[in-house]
Amino acid sequence: MDYKATPIQQPTRHEKRVLRLMICAGVFSMGFFLYTLLGNEHDDHSVLYVLLLITIFYNCLKYLHEWYHYFSISVPETKPATRTYTVDIFTTFCPGEPYEMLEKTLTAIQNVRYPHTAWCCDEANDPYVIALCEKLQVKHVTRNNRLHAKAGNINNALRQATGELCVILDPDHIPAPCLLDDIVPLFDDPQIGFVQIVQAYYNHYDNLVAKGAAQQTYQFYGPMMMSMHAYGTVQAIGANCTFRRAALDSIGGHAPGLAEDMNTAMHLHAHGWKSAYLPVVLTRGLVPASLAAYYKQQLKWSRGTFELLVTTFPRFFTRFTWRQRLHYCTRPFHYFSGVIFLINWLIPVAALFTGAIPLHMDMVNFLLAIAPLLCMTVLIRHYVQKWVAEEGERGFHVVCGLLQIGTWWVHTTGLVYTLLRKKVPYLPTPKDDTDPTPLSLHIPNLLVVVVSLAAIVYGLRYDYNPFSLFMAALAGLNIFFMLFIFYASRTSRQKAISQTIQRRIKRRLWLFRHKVYAGVRRYALLLSIVVMAVAVYVYRKQLQLPVYLPETTPVHQASLHGRMPPPLKLNHTQPFTKRILPASIKAVVYDKGYHWFRNKHALLREEVEDDLAAMKELSINTVVRTVPGIYDKTLFRCTRENGMNMIARLWMSTRPEYVMDSVAMKKEMERLLDVVRSYRHEKNIIAWNLGNDVLYTLSNRFHIPDYFYCRNMYMQWLSEFCQAIRQLDPVRPITMDICWNKGGKYRLAFLEQYLPEVDYYSLIADSANRRLLQEPIPAHAFWGEVPVQCWNLQPPMILPAWQDIANKDFISLKGILDLEGRKKPGYDTVALYWANRQPAAMELPDIKILKPAKITYEYKPLVYHVLVRHKEGWQFAGDSLQLHWYLIRTDHNGTTLYMKKAGEGPFISLMVPNHPEQYRLYVQLVADNRVKEAASTLNIPLE
Amino acid sequence: MPFPGLTALPFCFFLIACHHPPAITGAPKKVEVKKAEGVFRIYKNGKPFLIKGGSGFTHLRELAACGGNTIRTWDTTHLQSILDEAHHYGLAAIVGLDLPVSTLLDEFYCNKQKTDSVYSAYQSIVRRFKNHPALLVWCLGNEIDFPYRPRFAAFYKTFNRLVAMIHEEDPDHPVTTTLTNFQKRNIVNIKLKVRGLDFISINTFNPLKTLEKDLQHFKWFWDGPYLITEWSPEGGWETQVVKWLAPIENTSTKKAELFRDFYQNYLPHKDPRFLGSLAFYWGWKEEYTHSWFSIFNEDGTPTEIVETLRDCWRDTVTHHQAVQLQYMLLDGKGAADNILLSPGSTHQASLLLAPGEHSDSLCFHWEIIREDWWGHKKSHWTKPPAEQGLLIDSTTLQVAFRSPLKEGPYRIFVTAFNAKGFCATANTPFYVVE
């Protein structure tokens, strides 16, 4: 058995400085994360959100607790002993513990070089043990009661022993011959009450449970305890602790309890004794190697430490130092993790069952905010692993984490028992791993598996969307954790790997991993700086408004010169019967949440239901939606259930290069036809709509001769495509959008002539061309999307947008509801024309932005005011009005791309952005559930 | 003031950099700056000369009549006739040699061809005018700014070369440059990087109130002589503004009062380093508005400021002949009420005269002009045309007017004339909102 008798190196000043810098970076990252999380604009007050906050705060506090300890990491100085002490070494024996183990331990004790008296505190008064003690010249003590369990047993022996120091060894802990050489000199300081050394194991590679249980102690017995040494809060551990007899006597012997070690330490600290921690491996013992044993140990500790929190801690509160108060107050909360894991499991399950989202926050922003914190915790963890006892103790300790998750219900039970004051019997942690884990111990974890599975199935069936998928993934992860615990408990002692190749690979992998860890430790500061620099860079980049390059227009295609356009087919072989679209259509374009990634709106089922109900109030009976999209399942189901019809919009790619690329166009056709194929069975689809006026786009992007070529190519494709749709779906009509501007009439005439496959043309009006709205239109055309401002001229069949849309890089403010769902004046227009309802609510006054008489110099502040129209004319807005300002980025065409909050109140001081001509100010006056808008350029135009 | 550690370093450089060759002693110069008995003065033809004048190059007869002794130009346009006229009225002239601001590196200072052509042009100017009896000082550049950063080396090189050339061509006249307000940066860089300036000149408006104190605090670094080349109470950039950020202008009566206050209380007359001052703007110019800095009206009629400056320079108290106003009201409201009007609506503007003035003896001229907020972006400020057809009668004490149809910021101006040859001005900004 190998020991590590030389203590861990004292951290150098440089190392301490690096560590402290890293901790500062960690605290900063945590602050940043919490700031981002709590500063999130969306007001969330759901139970799920609170639960999420609890687990986040718990973890943050845990990290802070850890970092607080690492901050003062240190090792006591070892000095040569100045005098010799009389020493008693105690070990305990309980009935049922293996004799072989006891013999090994007692033999090793007798091999300890330092002069000592060995004691075996035998609870069983076992004849074999008596004989063994006699053989090994170990003093045998027994008693006739079982009072106070282990503590009582030792106290019983203490009554007979007289040594100045006493070492308490568990029967499984085999000491090294040099056990006392470094420990004893520390007692030269008369205030030292006890000295603790590392708890190391020799069976931790036996199986996964042993591995996990051992891993849990690595970070604690290494770096954490080293700092506790500096803070005067060293924890006595049941085994391997050397006490000064006088100290024990001053507190009336070993203190009892389930966590008798911690209780004793508390008593000693409260009585003013000091403690020391020596990071050396001088004994090796057994770690629980079966799940049952592990659970027993954890329950004992959880119950025991919580008990101390409510009993001993308040008693000694005034006698502790501040650091001890903090230590003994926080220590039991390690076992609170059980409740936290319960919450972690409950969140996705509850989210799936209720269809709610715990946190309404942009996923990318969330990840960006939490990434530096996660990186810093990993880096700090790895850096402090400089001070663990052995190389094998370094690494990520995944098994340990999983094991802790699997113990959630045991820890929770400990807490609940404490609250109920229910007692747990003291049983020594079983040392032999022969007992198989009874199935009953798996019931809570299997329950988690079953409920999570049910939640996944139910949740995804109820509402299939990216968020429920994410929650399902989390629930799945929990299932995996629990199954892992089940698997781990079933694996018995790991078989020695026989094949040399396998062993070699495993060894190589281990070496490689540990080389990486060494590298991380070595360059920890550099890596931390990189992490922080990247975080700051990305954060600043996020704050900046994106830059858009204007598209080159029109495109000049040299390759087209001199090429004849393909001929247009005038005579179709078969006549096309026009299919009928019901005249009673009152449709709305509902593309909310279409590009789900980084979208402001998450289209949860409840939200769809609410929207559809609101639409029905306005007598809307049809929904126009671009397909395919991730929310389609929910959407089709909800519209069907609400008795509403759908017009499926097929959106074609319009890049001019694309139109001439026959392979790409063929693919595009296949893609769209696949959509038609898979959606034609949806009963409430009443028409297929070909969205966007491609011919218009082409005419804008090409000079005339080139345009003819592209147009004809596109027409050929379109005709083929429409025929294919007609074949797939012979019943439903095809409608096609046409931008109704100056050239609209000609395009329509052209299309009617060459594209008889299309049944209807839906005219999309533009408020800039109001005059056209009053002109008569051909028979196969109808008024499609008309902006609500023009409905007094021409109430149409389609409302251009239900609600405003905001994506990361696109924004549309055409809706009759704003982004928050408040009603714009357009809502009343629709109510008037379609539902025949006069607006009931009081109308909000008109507002306007008053621009300053100043030049808009980039990066200089300017003040903008809101004016409100009163009967007497325009007046400056008062403080009582709720006004929200936004800065909108537009492209060279004036298309709105990006919106950023600019302030609140009747005026703002705006820092003029780069390229002010590409920005618009947008202000909202909000009252109740209504909103009035105004927008303007940043500058007063010059003539 | 304690010696701040941070400024110690540039100071060391300064000690090295400021090692001037000993001055060549010879015949007395026509104009020079000398320190005698601890007091700096300009000596013109051997006699001390305290500059009291107008920053401007017109209305020289009036200036001489008021007791002023110096005028100033910003460039060399019509220099011959200006100097001749100045000489005629016994005035001295600070001649401005215009230079682009120092930030125009690529556009000017790094372009050898351009700097060379300016060099030779100014060489011939100096040669031509160095013996003119009215010439007092050469002023190289106006508010061109002296930055720290090394990339401005080309600017300093050009500037130093020009100063050296002027001294070489004309050893008889000092050379200066004007700085915007008191700014340590400018003074430090002139000390460290510029050679040959005889004194510095400062253009300052409201901060004149603290100028003497500021200079005193910085004396440990620089304690040379200075001239105030532009002073006037309140520039358009430092005064109260309405909500659309248009500055609120004082009436000419109020301005005259402030001129006296500034002259008496803030000009550092007792400072031994003070070489004199020039009031801004002696003449008529558009800047913010056409009346903001103008001491004279567009047609040359003087405002009360002329009388105030005469009193200041001559140290007299006289009864002023100029028209005196209280304020202007638009629909009973003042500028600070942030007046918003709807297009094409009818309104009343009225002027309140000071007690003792009678409207019968005055004549008025009203104008509505859109706010000149981008004027300084044009090559030079020009008065925008007045809006036509809005005033029913523009010559009465009270006028009714129709607001302009086009949305935007405007001002309504009034000028009151009296029979004694003086005028007074006032204006009110308003915003037309559709």
Side-chain angles (χ1 to χ4, degrees):
Chain A
M1 200 163 293
D2 62 325
Y3 297 99
K4 194 168 187 245
T6 40
I8 292 164
Q9 287 287 306
Q10 179 81 29
T12 62
R13 276 181 64 174
H14 173 70
E15 284 171 337
K16 267 195 174 176
R17 218 178 295 145
V18 168
L19 184 56
R20 287 178 180 186
L21 266 177
M22 288 172 69
I23 290 171
C24 289
V27 172
F28 178 78
S29 319
M30 187 181 291
F32 171 68
F33 168 62
L34 293 177
Y35 168 79
T36 314
L37 181 76
L38 300 176
N40 185 27
E41 271 175 35
H42 205 285
D43 297 324
D44 247 315
H45 299 295
S46 65
V47 179
L48 283 182
Y49 179 66
V50 175
L51 287 179
L52 186 76
L53 281 190
I54 291 174
T55 117
I56 285 173
F57 275 112
Y58 174 83
N59 281 301
C60 285
L61 286 173
K62 207 174 96 179
Y63 290 138
L64 284 178
H65 180 254
E66 207 176 301
W67 295 343
Y68 156 78
H69 279 102
Y70 297 156
F71 203 79
S72 303
I73 196 158
S74 75
V75 177
E77 280 176 41
T78 47
K79 289 174 281 184
T82 51
R83 51 164 292 213
T84 316
Y85 294 84
T86 50
V87 182
D88 295 309
I89 301 180
F90 298 94
T91 189
T92 55
F93 179 78
C94 289
E97 285 182 327
Y99 295 133
E100 189 196 351
M101 177 182 88
L102 184 71
E103 188 175 346
K104 252 193 219 168
T105 307
L106 289 177
T107 316
I109 289 176
Q110 290 307 55
N111 286 339
V112 170
R113 286 196 293 262
Y114 198 88
H116 65 275
T117 318
W119 298 78
C120 178
C121 314
D122 180 11
E123 290 272 40
N125 202 13
D126 191 302
Y128 179 86
V129 177
I130 295 171
L132 184 69
C133 286
E134 223 163 276
K135 191 179 101 193
L136 293 170
Q137 293 182 317
V138 171
K139 293 198 178 178
H140 181 265
V141 215
T142 186
R143 58 172 179 165
N144 52 12
N145 61 41
R146 288 285 179 89
L147 214 61
H148 295 324
K150 184 176 169 185
N153 192 6
I154 288 167
N155 284 340
N156 180 46
L158 279 177
R159 261 176 235 126
Q160 298 174 35
T162 53
E164 289 166 285
L165 305 179
C166 56
V167 183
I168 294 167
L169 284 181
D170 272 359
D172 56 318
H173 274 266
I174 302 165
C178 57
L179 172 68
L180 290 161
D181 298 1
D182 280 337
I183 298 175
V184 167
L186 290 171
F187 282 95
D188 284 355
D189 178 355
Q191 281 187 300
I192 289 287
F194 67 93
V195 176
Q196 177 65 48
I197 58 168
V198 177
Q199 181 132 329
Y201 309 101
Y202 59 84
N203 70 330
H204 51 291
Y205 288 122
D206 277 7
N207 61 27
L208 283 171
V209 174
K211 190 174 174 181
Q215 279 181 353
Q216 281 185 2
T217 65
Y218 294 161
Q219 207 84 8
F220 185 74
Y221 290 121
M224 287 279 268
M225 282 283 260
M226 283 165 72
S227 310
M228 290 187 201
H229 168 76
Y231 291 157
T233 56
V234 172
Q235 168 116 24
I237 299 151
N240 308 333
C241 194
T242 308
F243 293 95
R244 188 189 292 278
R245 184 61 198 271
L248 275 186
D249 289 346
S250 74
I251 59 164
H254 214 287
L258 283 172
E260 84 289 339
D261 38 11
M262 183 166 152
N263 197 5
T264 307
M266 280 171 106
H267 276 80
L268 288 173
H269 280 143
H271 283 79
W273 291 99
K274 282 189 182 166
S275 50
Y277 176 72
L278 200 60
V280 290
V281 177
L282 294 172
T283 71
R284 279 188 188 276
L286 288 171
V287 71
S290 75
L291 201 61
Y294 177 74
Y295 278 172
K296 258 182 222 168
Q297 183 199 49
Q298 293 295 313
L299 178 63
K300 199 169 77 180
W301 288 352
S302 169
R303 174 72 181 90
T305 49
F306 277 123
E307 179 69 22
L308 291 179
L309 180 69
V310 295
T311 56
T312 313
F313 180 69
R315 205 175 114 205
F316 289 137
F317 185 79
T318 49
R319 297 169 74 169
F320 285 140
T321 63
W322 271 111
R323 286 196 189 279
Q324 283 164 352
R325 280 173 205 163
L326 183 71
H327 174 75
Y328 288 119
C329 174
T330 52
R331 191 73 208 122
F333 283 96
H334 171 72
Y335 299 102
F336 193 71
S337 63
V339 178
I340 297 301
F341 291 127
L342 175 67
I343 292 175
N344 286 354
W345 167 69
L346 275 177
I347 290 173
V349 167
L352 284 167
F353 274 124
T354 58
I357 306 180
L359 180 66
H360 288 265
M361 188 173 174
D362 185 281
M363 221 178 269
V364 177
N365 284 349
F366 182 80
L367 288 178
L368 287 177
I370 202 171
L373 176 62
L374 294 180
C375 289
M376 286 318 299
T377 52
V378 168
L379 284 174
I380 294 173
R381 268 271 169 95
H382 274 273
Y383 190 73
V384 296
Q385 285 181 357
K386 271 183 179 226
W387 297 286
V388 295
E390 293 165 303
E391 183 58 42
E393 298 187 5
R394 294 182 173 133
F396 277 99
H397 305 161
V398 178
V399 183
C400 143
L402 295 179
L403 195 62
Q404 205 183 349
I405 293 174
T407 318
W408 67 273
W409 64 273
V410 178
H411 291 154
T412 310
T413 308
L415 175 65
V416 173
Y417 277 9
T418 311
L419 296 178
L420 298 177
R421 316 300 303 141
K422 188 172 153 74
K423 286 214 163 74
V424 171
Y426 186 98
L427 288 170
T429 308
K431 305 302 183 211
D432 47 357
D433 55 350
T434 46
D435 52 340
T437 313
L439 206 62
S440 59
L441 286 184
H442 284 299
I443 288 175
N445 286 351
L446 290 179
L447 204 69
V448 169
V449 172
V450 171
V451 175
S452 296
L453 264 178
I456 292 174
V457 173
Y458 176 82
L460 292 185
R461 280 175 66 98
Y462 175 75
D463 192 358
Y464 183 90
N465 63 47
F467 309 97
S468 60
L469 276 172
F470 182 70
M471 285 298 152
L474 287 185
L477 210 59
N478 281 328
I479 294 175
F480 164 75
F481 294 155
M482 297 311 164
L483 290 180
F484 175 84
I485 299 301
F486 187 73
Y487 163 77
S489 73
R490 295 279 139 175
T491 52
S492 54
R493 191 178 289 277
Q494 275 182 353
K495 286 171 219 133
I497 298 163
S498 49
Q499 282 108 330
T500 46
I501 298 174
Q502 228 179 325
R503 197 155 68 193
R504 228 193 267 162
I505 291 173
K506 225 180 159 180
R507 173 93 195 138
R508 280 264 169 86
L509 213 66
W510 191 91
L511 279 176
F512 172 75
R513 262 182 13 234
H514 283 258
K515 258 185 204 160
V516 173
Y517 301 152
V520 170
R521 283 198 303 280
R522 183 155 181 199
Y523 299 108
L525 183 64
L526 187 74
L527 288 169
S528 310
I529 292 170
V530 169
V531 166
M532 295 314 286
V534 170
V536 169
Y537 172 79
V538 173
Y539 178 69
R540 288 181 61 115
K541 200 89 199 160
Q542 284 278 312
L543 283 188
Q544 281 168 7
L545 296 161
V547 176
Y548 295 91
L549 296 173
E551 278 182 39
T552 48
T553 172
V555 177
H556 195 70
Q557 288 286 339
S559 61
L560 293 180
H561 281 294
R563 284 174 67 176
M564 285 298 289
L568 288 170
K569 275 179 271 170
L570 251 177
N571 301 318
H572 287 283
T573 43
Q574 78 252 46
F576 289 101
T577 48
K578 297 272 178 188
R579 291 152 314 178
I580 307 298
L581 195 66
S584 60
I585 288 180
K586 285 173 182 168
V588 61
V589 178
Y590 186 65
D591 274 339
K592 186 174 176 180
Y594 179 71
H595 295 285
W596 69 273
F597 187 64
R598 309 202 76 177
N599 198 309
K600 170 142 180 89
H601 295 117
L603 212 57
L604 305 185
R605 185 167 165 178
E606 271 174 31
E607 190 133 6
V608 176
E609 299 271 12
D610 288 350
D611 280 342
L612 293 181
M615 286 174 194
K616 278 170 126 180
E617 266 180 42
L618 291 181
S619 306
I620 293 171
N621 53 22
T622 308
V623 170
V624 183
R625 173 90 180 179
T626 311
V627 286
I630 194 150
Y631 297 111
D632 287 352
K633 235 181 207 175
T634 310
L635 212 66
F636 276 100
R637 180 201 288 193
C638 292
T639 45
R640 204 170 49 236
E641 284 171 6
N642 277 285
M644 290 176 88
N645 292 324
M646 297 278 292
I647 294 177
R649 176 172 277 184
L650 303 166
W651 196 264
M652 282 165 292
S653 186
T654 58
R655 295 185 70 81
E657 312 79 271
Y658 211 84
V659 172
M660 288 175 299
D661 182 347
S662 57
V663 180
M665 286 303 272
K666 204 169 174 82
K667 260 194 197 157
E668 177 71 359
M669 190 187 295
E670 269 316 303
R671 181 183 74 86
L672 293 171
L673 288 177
D674 276 345
V675 175
V676 176
R677 215 168 278 131
S678 56
Y679 281 79
R680 63 183 161 165
H681 306 295
E682 294 289 348
K683 290 205 175 64
N684 58 342
I685 292 184
I686 53 164
W688 304 103
N689 169 256
L690 309 183
N692 74 347
D693 189 345
V694 178
L695 280 186
Y696 177 54
T697 319
L698 290 179
S699 71
N700 271 340
R701 300 286 309 270
F702 286 98
H703 293 298
I704 279 292
D706 297 351
Y707 165 68
F708 289 144
Y709 184 86
C710 296
R711 182 195 65 185
N712 291 8
M713 289 277 281
Y714 174 64
M715 288 299 289
Q716 249 179 21
W717 179 88
L718 201 58
S719 159
E720 225 175 286
F721 176 51
C722 291
Q723 284 177 38
I725 298 180
R726 277 182 166 248
Q727 259 175 18
L728 284 174
D729 185 351
V731 184
R732 294 179 182 120
I734 301 173
T735 72
M736 187 170 173
D737 287 353
I738 292 187
C739 293
W740 202 242
N741 44 26
K742 267 187 196 162
K745 226 186 262 182
Y746 304 104
R747 279 199 307 283
L748 178 61
F750 177 78
L751 285 165
E752 283 201 309
Q753 189 176 0
Y754 292 103
L755 203 66
E757 296 91 337
V758 170
D759 302 274
Y760 287 98
Y761 292 96
S762 161
L763 307 185
I764 299 184
D766 181 352
S767 50
N769 292 309
R770 279 166 173 262
R771 199 176 43 80
L772 296 172
L773 278 162
Q774 284 149 312
E775 290 178 10
I777 52 169
H780 287 295
F782 65 89
W783 282 107
E785 298 171 30
V786 175
V788 273
Q789 298 86 332
C790 305
W791 280 28
N792 54 348
L793 302 173
Q794 195 58 259
M797 277 167 99
I798 301 173
L799 173 64
W802 174 248
Q803 190 168 2
D804 292 348
I805 292 172
N807 227 335
K808 182 70 191 159
D809 52 5
F810 174 75
I811 190 153
S812 162
L813 302 173
K814 292 188 294 184
I816 55 167
L817 301 180
D818 77 347
L819 287 169
E820 309 301 330
R822 292 175 289 232
K823 290 168 186 164
K824 295 190 194 179
Y827 183 90
D828 293 330
T829 313
V830 179
L832 181 68
Y833 282 92
W834 279 1
N836 217 354
R837 213 169 61 211
Q838 292 295 332
M842 215 186 59
E843 178 93 26
L844 285 173
D846 285 340
I847 55 171
K848 187 168 193 130
I849 295 169
L850 182 83
K851 294 179 274 191
K854 283 274 170 197
I855 293 176
T856 47
Y857 285 115
E858 294 173 355
Y859 309 119
K860 291 268 164 64
L862 283 181
V863 179
Y864 295 82
H865 287 265
V866 169
L867 302 180
V868 178
R869 199 204 288 271
H870 292 263
K871 267 186 209 142
E872 309 82 51
W874 290 101
Q875 288 180 6
F876 288 92
D879 289 329
S880 58
L881 295 179
Q882 203 187 334
L883 290 157
H884 306 288
W885 294 78
Y886 300 89
L887 192 61
I888 295 179
R889 178 77 157 89
T890 64
D891 68 4
H892 62 296
N893 288 330
T895 312
T896 49
L897 301 171
Y898 182 87
M899 191 158 98
K900 190 181 144 185
K901 186 132 203 178
E904 274 184 17
F907 66 92
I908 55 158
S909 174
L910 178 81
M911 188 60 73
V912 175
N914 196 7
H915 292 300
E917 72 280 7
Q918 294 192 348
Y919 287 88
R920 302 287 177 271
L921 260 181
Y922 171 69
V923 67
Q924 285 187 329
L925 168 64
V926 175
D928 299 327
N929 195 24
R930 302 200 149 251
V931 64
K932 201 102 184 203
E933 309 156 300
S936 83
T937 53
L938 300 193
N939 63 303
I940 297 176
L942 295 173
E943 21 297 3
Chain B
M1 183 182 175
F3 201 88
L6 264 178
T7 40
L9 195 66
F11 189 64
C12 295
F13 288 117
F14 153 67
L15 288 177
I16 302 161
C18 285
H19 178 72
H20 288 296
I24 306 153
T25 49
K29 296 175 178 177
K30 281 183 200 161
V31 180
E32 59 185 328
V33 180
K34 277 199 299 194
K35 190 178 185 182
E37 295 163 9
V39 178
F40 283 103
R41 270 285 167 273
I42 290 179
Y43 287 83
K44 190 183 173 200
N45 300 322
K47 286 182 202 141
F49 184 84
L50 178 65
I51 294 173
K52 286 194 272 187
S55 214
F57 47 86
T58 55
H59 305 281
L60 304 193
R61 186 172 57 83
E62 290 88 338
L63 182 69
C66 290
N69 59 16
T70 308
I71 60 156
R72 177 191 172 201
T73 73
W74 283 262
D75 52 45
T76 53
T77 319
H78 307 309
L79 188 56
Q80 183 71 53
S81 65
I82 292 170
L83 287 178
D84 289 348
E85 196 188 347
H87 183 56
H88 176 75
Y89 292 112
L91 299 172
I94 296 170
V95 175
L97 301 173
D98 192 32
L99 278 181
V101 287
S102 54
T103 45
L104 297 177
L105 291 172
D106 294 337
E107 297 87 341
F108 181 73
Y109 289 104
C110 293
N111 186 329
K112 184 89 169 60
Q113 207 182 342
K114 284 186 184 172
T115 55
D116 279 353
S117 94
V118 166
Y119 182 90
S120 52
Y122 283 160
Q123 195 171 34
S124 62
I125 294 266
V126 173
R127 279 179 191 161
R128 185 173 155 199
F129 293 103
K130 65 182 178 182
N131 291 320
H132 199 288
L135 176 65
L136 184 71
V137 171
W138 297 107
C139 179
L140 186 60
N142 181 44
E143 301 186 1
I144 54 176
D145 204 61
F146 294 85
Y148 279 115
R149 282 185 286 174
R151 68 188 186 96
F152 290 97
F155 157 70
Y156 285 105
K157 192 178 158 197
T158 309
F159 191 83
N160 283 328
R161 199 169 147 233
L162 285 169
V163 176
M165 179 273 288
I166 300 168
H167 276 309
E168 200 183 304
E169 294 292 336
D170 177 14
D172 270 341
H173 293 98
V175 182
T176 187
T177 187
T178 69
L179 308 176
T180 320
N181 295 323
F182 165 80
Q183 292 182 70
K184 285 182 185 167
R185 185 171 58 99
N186 282 328
I187 293 175
V188 167
N189 285 313
I190 284 184
K191 266 293 189 190
L192 299 182
K193 298 182 179 171
V194 175
R195 283 180 293 279
L197 286 185
D198 295 86
F199 60 90
I200 62 164
S201 300
I202 295 173
N203 297 341
T204 191
F205 296 78
N206 247 351
L208 176 65
K209 293 178 179 173
T210 57
L211 181 69
E212 193 172 3
K213 204 174 75 196
D214 293 336
L215 286 165
Q216 194 64 27
H217 282 168
F218 204 48
K219 206 175 164 183
W220 64 270
F221 184 77
W222 178 76
D223 63 350
Y226 62 91
L227 171 70
I228 295 173
T229 32
E230 287 178 17
W231 73 273
S232 155
E234 291 198 324
W237 58 91
E238 55 190 6
T239 182
Q240 198 195 340
V241 291
V242 291
K243 284 190 172 175
W244 54 95
L245 306 182
I248 298 176
E249 187 174 338
N250 287 315
T251 61
S252 58
T253 310
K254 180 73 183 171
K255 280 185 218 166
E257 196 185 310
L258 286 170
F259 260 98
R260 177 189 290 279
D261 180 41
F262 270 57
Y263 188 87
Q264 288 179 341
N265 300 323
Y266 302 124
L267 274 181
H269 302 292
K270 292 191 182 129
D271 189 345
R273 298 153 65 190
F274 177 58
L275 299 177
S277 62
L278 299 172
F280 187 80
Y281 175 86
W282 192 267
W284 178 87
K285 85 186 291 255
E286 168 87 12
E287 187 169 342
Y288 289 89
T289 70
H290 57 264
S291 54
W292 195 284
F293 289 114
S294 306
I295 293 175
F296 292 84
N297 189 29
E298 200 170 354
D299 61 2
T301 316
T303 62
E304 196 187 344
I305 302 166
V306 174
E307 290 178 290
T308 302
L309 287 172
R310 183 189 64 208
D311 284 350
C312 291
W313 291 332
R314 291 193 163 158
D315 200 14
T316 55
V317 179
T318 56
H319 177 73
H320 290 180
Q321 311 257 300
V323 189
Q324 296 193 333
L325 312 174
Q326 288 196 67
Y327 42 82
M328 188 213 279
L329 291 177
L330 202 166
D331 289 343
K333 286 188 272 189
D337 294 325
N338 301 300
I339 302 161
L340 303 176
L341 306 178
S342 29
S345 51
T346 317
H347 304 274
Q348 281 266 325
S350 55
L351 186 64
L352 269 86
L353 302 174
E357 293 281 1
H358 295 286
S359 60
D360 308 348
S361 60
L362 304 175
C363 75
F364 302 92
H365 177 61
W366 293 82
E367 279 177 308
I368 293 171
I369 302 178
R370 65 185 153 70
E371 182 73 31
D372 190 9
W373 51 270
W374 72 100
H376 60 290
K377 263 305 209 195
K378 298 182 278 193
S379 55
H380 58 282
W381 294 83
T382 48
K383 184 184 171 189
E387 302 294 314
Q388 295 301 310
L390 299 176
L391 288 149
I392 291 144
D393 179 2
S394 72
T395 60
T396 49
L397 183 67
Q398 278 195 6
V399 287
F401 71 93
R402 200 158 43 77
S403 59
L405 293 173
K406 194 165 188 296
E407 186 171 86
Y410 294 84
R411 264 173 213 266
I412 179 161
F413 291 85
V414 64
T415 314
F417 300 87
N418 67 7
K420 295 162 193 162
F422 284 91
C423 71
T425 61
N427 67 63
T428 305
F430 63 87
Y431 206 111
V432 173
V433 191
E434 275 171 24

